[in-house]
Amino acid sequence: MELAKNLSLEYNPIDVVENIFTAKSFELDRRNLNEVVVEVQGKWNNMLLFFAWEANMRCLHLSCLMDIETQIEDRSKIFELLALANEELWVGHFSYWTEQNIPVFKHSVLLNDDEDAFEGKMAQIIDIAIKECERMYPVFKVVLTKGMDPRQALYPMMMTTVGQA
C-alpha cells in the first residue's frame, strides 16, 4: 500500500502530454515540473496549448489560446458569444482572458490513481480542443474584431448539411 501511495505522488501527467507532442515532433516548452506549453499550427492561426498539473487536486488543466485580440469596446457581445458557444459543447468550455483580451478553450481532467489509457484519453481531449478552436475561430474573429452580432455570426455554424455536393 505504501509503495502504491509513493508511486501516485510521483506520477505527473505532464510527462504524458510531453510524450504525446514529442512523438508528433512538436516543439514544446516545459516551463517547470507541472507546466508545459505547445504551439500548434491551426487552420486559421497558431494556437498555444497550455497544460498545468495540480497534484493536490489530481487535476490536469488544458487551455487552448486563440490569437484574436479584441477590437471592440462592447464586452457584452463577447460574453453573449461565450454563452451561446458553450451551449453547443459537450467537452470543455470557452472563456475570455480579459488580461490578454483573447478567447480561450478550457478543460480539466481529474485523475485517479488507477487511471487506465490516460494517454489515449488525453490525445482525444487535445484533438477536441483544437477542433473546437478551429471551428469557432471565424466566429470569434468577426465578433471580436468587427463587432458582428453573436447570433448572426453563429448562424452558419448551427446549420446542418445533408447529402453531398
Side-chain angles (χ1 to χ4, degrees), residues 37-115:
V37 178
V38 183
E39 186 171 0
V40 175
Q41 175 62 48
K43 184 167 44 172
W44 308 103
N45 207 338
N46 287 356
M47 295 173 275
L48 280 181
L49 278 72
F50 173 79
F51 299 86
W53 169 241
E54 171 45 62
N56 292 330
M57 291 192 311
R58 306 216 26 91
C59 183
L60 179 66
H61 178 78
L62 157 67
S63 294
C64 185
L65 290 70
M66 293 186 280
D67 189 16
I68 308 170
E69 285 195 37
T70 303
Q71 305 296 319
I72 61 169
E73 295 294 321
D74 184 5
R75 296 266 170 115
S76 66
K77 288 185 177 187
I78 296 166
F79 297 113
E80 180 183 0
L81 176 57
L82 291 172
L84 293 169
N86 286 332
E87 286 177 2
E88 303 300 318
L89 295 178
W90 281 68
V91 174
H93 68 278
F94 284 102
S95 183
Y96 188 75
W97 189 6
T98 53
E99 185 178 300
Q100 296 295 321
N101 290 324
I102 56 174
V104 181
F105 178 88
K106 295 181 175 187
H107 185 69
S108 295
V109 180
L110 298 173
L111 299 175
N112 299 318
D113 288 339
D114 59 349
E115 190 73 38

Side-chain angles (χ1 to χ4, degrees), residues 126-137:
I126 292 166
D127 187 50
I128 289 168
I130 291 170
K131 284 181 180 174
E132 288 298 339
C133 287
E134 288 184 340
R135 182 177 74 91
M136 292 300 296
Y137 184 92

